[in-house]
């Protein structure tokens, strides 16, 4: 990407790529500037709008992310990847009907990630087994090496009994080297273990982890309200990003409890 910028300083996609690389490398304070530079170079570039939206959503800024994705869809209304992400953002903000409509349209165009949002929708409507299969399909497309049957076990733990959660944890203990295991531990109601694994092993893509922290599901709320989230967010750089830029839609600072303290709903 740096070579591309050296060859063409006005390459918006190259600047957007630098931003996303910094997100993936957990250099959160360094990611917005190149991504915003990309939009200055070409406000209508689909890639630039999409990747900056990923950055904003990872940091909990769903409304800012949706604005960018909506603009990208105006430019390319049948882009299935952007449609999937719009469905995801609508789900994260509790617009379940809107999320289903957009995700079904993306799925009809053949995009496998659309099944991610549709999986949560099925689970919310009580069709857990069907949702688990959709979830396994989407996560396999995202790159996890965990077998589909084990992923289905994790999905069922999200709203399942304590026994199902225990089965999910035992399953994930066999896959601690997979980059998505920290994400799946959130769904298994193991936020403290999830934070520690994500932080210690430097495993997992940032946007494929943080998006799970902003869900409306109970396991996600449990994670962001867990006492361990305060220290994790500070150590890994989230708090510094929020203080320099904008706090997440679901969190706000509580300076009366300390300079880096916050609360989430």
């Amino acid at each position: 990407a740096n070579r591309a910028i050296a060859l063409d300083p006005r390459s918006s996609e190259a600047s957007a790529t630098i931003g996303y690389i910094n997100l993936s490398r957990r250099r959160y304070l360094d990611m917005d500037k190149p991504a915003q530079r990309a939009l200055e170079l070409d406000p209508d570039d689909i890639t630039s709008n999409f990747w900056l939206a990923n950055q904003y959503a990872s940091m909990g800024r769903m409304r800012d992310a949706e604005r960018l994705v909506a603009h990208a869809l105006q430019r390319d209304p049948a882009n299935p990847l952007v449609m999937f992400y719009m469905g995801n953002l609508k789900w994260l903000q509790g617009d379940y009907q809107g999320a289903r409509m957009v995700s079904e349209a993306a799925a009809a165009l053949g995009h496998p990630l659309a099944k991610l949002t549709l999986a949560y929708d099925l689970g919310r409507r009580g069709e857990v087994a069907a949702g688990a299969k959709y979830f396994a399909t989407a996560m396999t497309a995202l790159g996890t090496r965990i077998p589909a049957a084990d992923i289905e076990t994790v999905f069922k733990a999200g709203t399942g009994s304590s026994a199902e959660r225990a089965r999910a944890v035992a399953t994930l203990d066999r896959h601690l080297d997979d980059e998505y295991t920290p994400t799946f531990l959130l769904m298994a109601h193991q936020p403290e273990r999830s934070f520690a694994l994500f932080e210690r092993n430097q495993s997992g893509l940032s946007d494929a982890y943080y998006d799970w922290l902003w869900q409306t599901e109970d396991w996600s709320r449990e994670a962001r309200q867990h006492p361990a989230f305060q220290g994790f967010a500070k150590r890994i750089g989230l708090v510094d990003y929020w203080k320099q830029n904008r706090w997440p839609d679901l969190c706000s600072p509580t300076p009366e409890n300390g300079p880096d303290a916050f609360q989430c709903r």
Side-chain angles (χ1 to χ4, degrees):
N2 283 323
R3 177 63 175 155
I5 292 172
L7 292 169
D8 179 8
R10 297 193 61 78
S11 171
S12 60
E13 288 196 4
S15 290
T17 301
I18 292 292
Y20 184 74
I21 289 171
N22 285 336
L23 168 64
S24 297
R25 296 174 69 189
R26 307 181 186 182
R27 295 174 55 179
Y28 306 127
L29 291 178
D30 300 327
M31 66 184 183
D32 281 3
K33 186 175 180 179
Q36 291 164 350
R37 168 65 174 161
L39 288 183
E40 292 172 3
L41 292 168
D42 186 355
D44 295 330
D45 182 72
I46 304 301
T47 298
S48 300
N49 279 274
F50 179 79
W51 288 125
L52 182 54
N54 269 257
Q55 293 170 205
Y56 283 164
S58 295
M59 298 295 105
R61 298 169 58 180
M62 303 306 163
R63 291 189 294 269
D64 291 335
E66 185 172 2
R67 172 178 51 81
L68 292 166
V69 172
H71 181 68
L73 281 176
Q74 287 179 345
R75 306 299 301 174
D76 190 1
N79 187 310
L81 176 62
V82 181
M83 291 168 67
F84 146 70
Y85 208 65
M86 176 60 84
N88 180 58
L89 289 170
K90 287 184 177 296
W91 183 267
L92 292 173
Q93 297 177 91
D95 180 4
Y96 303 126
Q97 182 176 357
R100 184 188 313 129
M101 291 177 60
V102 178
S103 299
E104 287 176 344
L109 292 173
H111 205 287
L113 296 186
K115 288 191 173 182
L116 183 63
T117 305
L118 293 174
Y120 288 121
D121 183 63
L122 286 166
R124 183 173 177 270
R125 291 187 281 137
E127 300 180 46
V128 178
K133 292 187 180 300
Y134 269 35
F135 185 73
T137 297
M139 294 308 302
T140 298
L142 275 172
T144 182
R145 301 184 307 277
I146 299 176
D150 289 350
I151 301 174
E152 290 181 30
T153 298
V154 172
F155 182 85
K156 293 173 184 177
T159 56
S161 64
S162 58
E164 287 176 311
R165 296 179 189 180
R167 280 195 293 273
V169 172
T171 296
L172 292 171
D173 282 340
R174 301 195 300 269
H175 303 292
L176 294 179
D177 61 337
D178 192 272
E179 67 177 347
Y180 287 96
T181 296
T183 300
F184 293 151
L185 281 169
L186 293 174
M187 299 179 67
H189 295 264
Q190 295 287 308
E192 197 162 6
R193 283 194 65 194
S194 171
F195 300 148
L197 184 62
F198 183 79
E199 181 180 4
R200 181 179 69 248
N201 292 353
Q202 295 288 300
S203 64
L205 295 171
S206 289
D207 54 343
Y209 182 75
Y210 292 130
D211 278 7
W212 268 258
L213 282 173
W214 312 118
Q215 298 267 25
T216 60
E217 281 73 19
D218 289 343
W219 51 261
S220 181
R221 187 180 306 108
E222 175 187 342
R224 62 180 175 266
Q225 293 181 345
H226 194 283
F229 185 47
Q230 298 272 328
F232 167 78
K234 175 58 181 175
R235 291 190 305 272
I236 208 162
L238 297 180
V239 172
D240 289 339
Y241 174 89
W242 295 335
K243 291 170 70 174
Q244 179 173 299
N245 295 278
R246 183 175 299 173
W247 285 85
D249 296 348
L250 295 177
C251 303
S252 56
T254 55
E256 64 275 13
N257 297 325
D260 297 320
F262 59 93
Q263 63 182 5
C264 300
R265 62 183 190 276

